Amino acid sequence: WVSGGQARDAMHLAFDARFGAAEGRVEHLERRHAGLALRVEDESHRAQQAELGLVAKVDEDVARILATAEETSRELRQAQEAALEQCVVELRGVIDSKAVVLKSLLRTSVRAESVERADNIRWTREDLEKLIRVQELLQQRFTE
């Protein structure tokens, strides 16, 4: 038989053993929880660093793309200006060529008109001379 005191002592010992085991489990779980919390914090810090790195990379990429776009735009403007200048030069050449042709045609036209006027003046003078002779002949006939 077990006396009441012994039973109580055995119960206390069993309780103490269970309580000690529970405390051990709690300590183990607390350490595990603290370890997991540290891992979560580390992962969070790593994720923040990766996000900052990604933001910096995106900023660099955007800056590079903007610089390329500006350079391309500048090159396009320069090419357009060069093409425009070339068109102006070619247009001036065409205009100058047409001006030479027009001057030549004008000179030819003026010469032709001068020759025609000279012919008209000559015919008119010849006609006048004939008229003067006819008049002189008529005066001689009527005065005789």
Side-chain angles (χ1 to χ4, degrees), residues 54-72 74:
L54 183 59
V55 167
K57 184 168 178 5
V58 167
D59 287 346
E60 289 172 5
D61 289 346
V62 166
R64 185 173 32 80
I65 288 168
L66 287 175
T68 301
E70 287 174 9
E71 179 64 25
T72 302
R74 184 173 37 257

Side-chain angles (χ1 to χ4, degrees), residues 10 34 73 75 80 124 140:
S73 178
E75 289 173 357
Q80 287 173 335
T124 305
Q140 285 175 2

Side-chain angles (χ1 to χ4, degrees), residues 11-114:
M11 212 164 60
H12 280 290
L13 283 176
F15 178 77
D16 286 344
R18 276 190 254 153
F19 185 76
E23 274 187 330
R25 268 186 80 202
V26 166
E27 287 175 4
H28 170 71
L29 289 175
E30 284 176 344
R31 282 193 304 271
R32 188 171 170 201
H33 178 266
L36 289 174
L38 285 175
R39 282 181 59 193
V40 165
E41 189 177 320
D42 287 346
E43 288 300 319
S44 174
H45 181 70
R46 247 184 259 140
Q48 287 174 347
Q49 291 301 318
E51 184 178 342
L52 290 176
L54 183 59
V55 167
K57 184 168 178 5
V58 167
D59 287 346
E60 289 172 5
D61 289 346
V62 166
R64 185 173 32 80
I65 288 168
L66 287 175
T68 301
E70 287 174 9
E71 179 64 25
T72 302
S73 178
R74 184 173 37 257
E75 289 173 357
L76 179 60
R77 271 193 312 277
Q78 289 172 346
Q80 287 173 335
E81 288 172 3
L84 181 61
E85 286 178 19
Q86 182 63 33
C87 285
V88 167
V89 167
E90 290 175 10
L91 186 58
R92 283 185 182 150
V94 168
I95 290 171
D96 290 347
S97 172
K98 292 199 183 259
V100 167
V101 169
L102 286 174
K103 284 180 187 177
S104 174
L105 287 174
L106 181 62
R107 284 185 195 132
T108 303
S109 174
V110 166
R111 285 183 193 139
E113 190 175 328
S114 296

